[in-house]
Amino acid sequence: MTNNTTRLDHVVLWVRDPVAAADFYEKSVGLEPLRITEFAAGQVSFPSVRLNEETIFDLAPLSLAEGMNMLPGAADSAGHAVNHVCLALPGDAFDALRSRLEERAVPVSDLSYDSYGARGMARRSFYFRDPDGNIFEARHYE
């Protein structure tokens, strides 16, 4: 990671149970869990899951909301999910994600075709929700 262009580093998701959330993201979405053991031992405030080499999702327990004082009103962000986070995947990983979600009875939307995104028109996309109500879009471009 020597390229220092502007990139997405992390997204913080408010979750009720960080360990259960990490389990969902590992088993249903296929992301690598990080710092689970340290979180369970009380050594870190939250665990994370790795989206790719450069980006993680932090799984922040709602109990941290009281300490959100970096900006006035920051604590009010707890429980107010972002509209959605979009994951761009290669076509085979897109199909595998949809299959894993369906196998685990996670509701998914119908497929959308030719929707606009950061890299132009995505061939296919769909939406799903995590156990805490955060909405994700999955898409592929090729």
Side-chain angles (χ1 to χ4, degrees):
M1 274 189 270
T2 57
N3 182 337
N4 287 324
T5 59
T6 302
R7 298 172 188 258
L8 180 63
D9 184 83
H10 69 276
V11 174
V12 178
L13 301 173
W14 289 115
V15 299
R16 290 181 298 272
D17 180 343
V19 173
D23 185 68
F24 171 82
Y25 285 106
E26 177 183 18
K27 293 180 178 148
S28 297
V29 184
L31 304 182
E32 174 191 0
L34 305 170
R35 305 180 343 145
I36 301 300
T37 304
E38 295 89 336
F39 174 74
Q43 298 168 339
V44 298
S45 301
F46 55 86
S48 305
V49 290
R50 181 160 298 285
L51 179 63
N52 59 40
E53 179 181 301
E54 301 175 343
T55 309
I56 60 174
F57 293 151
D58 292 333
L59 307 174
L62 289 168
S63 60
L64 290 181
E66 292 176 15
M68 297 291 295
N69 58 8
M70 76 286 281
L71 292 170
D76 295 335
S77 73
H80 297 278
V82 171
N83 180 274
H84 73 276
V85 174
C86 182
L87 309 175
L89 306 140
D92 57 344
F94 174 91
D95 292 330
L97 170 60
R98 189 170 177 95
S99 293
R100 276 194 310 275
L101 293 169
E102 289 172 341
E103 287 168 9
R104 296 178 183 285
V106 175
V108 297
S109 72
D110 292 336
L111 290 172
S112 296
Y113 300 91
D114 300 321
S115 58
Y116 181 77
R119 291 190 260 164
M121 300 304 281
R123 204 167 148 234
R124 297 181 296 164
S125 65
F126 70 90
Y127 294 85
F128 65 95
R129 213 182 274 269
D130 77 3
D132 291 285
N134 295 298
I135 298 171
F136 288 84
E137 176 185 0
R139 63 172 45 208
H140 76 95
Y141 286 94
E142 76 282 346

